[in-house]
Amino acid sequence: MILAIETSCDDTCAAIMKSDALLSSVVSSQTDFHARYGGIVPEVASRRHLELINPVIDAALKQADARLNQVSRVAVTTSPGLIGALLVGVATAKAIAWACGAEMTAVNHLEGHIAANYLAPDPMEPPFICLIASGGHTSIVFVPGRGSFEVVGQTLDDAAGEALDKGARLLGLAYPGGAELDDLARDGDPGYHQFPVALSRPDNLDFSFSGIKTSLFYYLRAAGKEEIQKHRADIAASYQSAVVSSLIDKTLAAAGLLGCRQICLSGGVSANSELRRRLADACAGRNIGLRIPPPELCTDNAAMIASAARFLPAMPVDDFLRMGAIASGGFAKGGKHARRWKPVT
Ligand code: KG4
Ligand code: ZN
């Protein structure tokens, strides 16, 4: 029985998995808590994790009708993420594993997002390209088989969700504004204004979203109040479309470069209606399979961490006790387009 813990950002999550069956998955979101600050405050997030982690684990055990002494392996996200937030999960995992005599598995958060695709109701078999886009990360990974992956592109600055949230905020929407921006953009003309997207060369699979945010800031500053009021939906649609185009173009380019015929999405931004519609059309036109897991598996959760742990080595708790958390994720330069993930040792 695996107990999985995920606390890399602002969701406190625990899940129980037994013999490939997911018995429970509990997520306590801190979004409302951070809304008053207009974004995630790392120190506030780690303090809140401390308050929530035990009740969340209790709830996961209860839902699974399981007891702590049945747990044979504790899996925990050790990177990348907010360092204080990660440490709460790692320290909790160590304590539980030590007390139960369980083995431990360190899981990279991105590997968790990928492994969400191996869960019911519609498990996907590699090889596939996975676009992981959320408020904290934006990466394209190539998955040749279960238990391995290569990052082939990633943002050099802001995440796509962060760019959408900050754009939404400039347009007067509340945090996190990605979903509201999506709603507003539905009534707008995406061709109203061309916002520039950096790194648009098709052979460059990395993203950059900090410039587009600045460009919206200056656009709104120069535009009159009247224009902003009259064309708010058009501006929202143009801005969102630029971010989404970058995500789609690079994901399709990665599939082309690697000769891969399956694409899947993960991360909160995969809820975006324009991304889903345009990518589905593009994939259908190219005879590429597209899969989007259910929303509760796309956003941060511990079920995906349990799923990933099944394909990763377990280590004795005494060895794990020497390990910490790593905020930056542990990627190193690999081939021309690839940065291979180095497992934490
Ligand atoms: O994966 P997630 O729940 O949490 C992390 O960031 O780790 O992703 C949250 C992000 C936020 O930036 C939020 O605005 C964005 O996902 N998001 C959306 C939509 N729904 C959530 N972005 C665009 N369109 C949406 N419909
Ligand atoms: Zn995530």
Side-chain angles (χ1 to χ4, degrees), residues 9-11 109 113 133-137 161-162 164-165 176-179 182 240 267-269 271-273 298-300:
C9 192
D10 65 334
D11 293 313
H109 184 77
H113 273 298
S134 74
H137 33 77
E162 189 181 351
L164 293 170
D165 290 345
D182 191 5
Q240 176 179 279
V269 176
N272 184 265
S273 60
C298 281
T299 52
D300 287 352

Side-chain angles (χ1 to χ4, degrees), residues 5-287:
I5 297 173
E6 152 65 45
T7 60
S8 65
C9 192
D10 65 334
D11 293 313
T12 316
C13 320
I16 303 285
M17 180 172 261
K18 189 180 178 189
S19 312
D20 293 341
L22 183 65
L23 301 186
S24 67
S25 177
V26 175
V27 177
S28 178
S29 170
Q30 302 179 13
T31 305
D32 294 346
F33 205 68
H34 292 276
R36 70 184 90 162
Y37 308 110
I40 296 165
V41 184
E43 187 52 30
V44 171
S46 42
R47 281 162 195 258
R48 194 80 181 123
H49 281 308
L50 264 180
E51 291 166 354
L52 292 170
I53 190 75
N54 286 345
V56 165
I57 291 172
D58 282 345
L61 286 164
K62 197 169 172 201
Q63 255 185 39
D65 198 17
R67 288 188 314 279
L68 216 43
N69 61 7
Q70 292 175 282
V71 171
S72 54
R73 195 179 336 175
V74 182
V76 61
T77 307
T78 53
S79 66
L82 304 171
I83 190 67
L86 285 166
L87 283 171
V88 174
V90 170
T92 307
K94 284 178 179 177
I96 291 176
W98 188 76
C100 298
E103 293 182 309
M104 300 195 71
T105 296
V107 180
N108 178 290
H109 184 77
L110 294 191
E111 188 143 52
H113 273 298
I114 294 162
N117 291 287
Y118 306 143
L119 292 168
D122 186 18
M124 190 170 191
E125 273 310 311
F128 57 76
I129 295 280
C130 187
L131 168 68
I132 307 167
S134 74
H137 33 77
T138 300
S139 303
I140 299 176
V141 297
F142 172 59
V143 183
R146 290 188 175 194
S148 63
F149 73 97
E150 283 176 18
V151 176
V152 294
Q154 64 187 354
T155 184
L156 303 182
D157 40 56
D158 294 347
E162 189 181 351
L164 293 170
D165 290 345
K166 289 189 174 154
R169 193 174 172 181
L170 289 170
L171 285 165
L173 303 172
Y175 168 85
E180 274 192 64
L181 189 79
D182 191 5
D183 283 345
L184 182 60
R186 273 180 236 266
D187 303 322
D189 170 13
Y192 178 71
H193 181 79
Q194 190 105 29
F195 286 102
V197 190
L199 306 179
S200 56
R201 273 180 44 178
D203 60 344
N204 184 339
L205 299 179
D206 287 331
F207 301 95
S208 169
F209 293 115
S210 67
I212 191 172
K213 226 173 49 190
T214 313
S215 146
L216 175 64
F217 174 81
Y218 285 113
Y219 177 85
L220 292 173
R221 205 164 77 166
K225 247 190 180 162
E226 214 172 283
E227 190 205 331
I228 296 176
Q229 242 162 24
K230 196 169 157 207
H231 291 287
R232 209 157 151 262
D234 296 327
I235 300 167
S238 303
Y239 182 79
Q240 176 179 279
S241 176
V243 173
V244 167
S245 295
S246 178
L247 294 174
I248 292 177
D249 291 350
K250 286 175 188 289
T251 305
L252 291 173
L257 282 166
L258 293 157
C260 191
R261 311 229 49 89
Q262 294 193 99
I263 290 177
C264 57
L265 297 186
S266 196
V269 176
S270 58
N272 184 265
S273 60
E274 185 185 349
L275 174 65
R276 296 168 83 106
R277 177 177 43 79
R278 285 180 49 197
L279 190 57
D281 288 350
C283 285
R286 289 167 175 78
N287 207 17

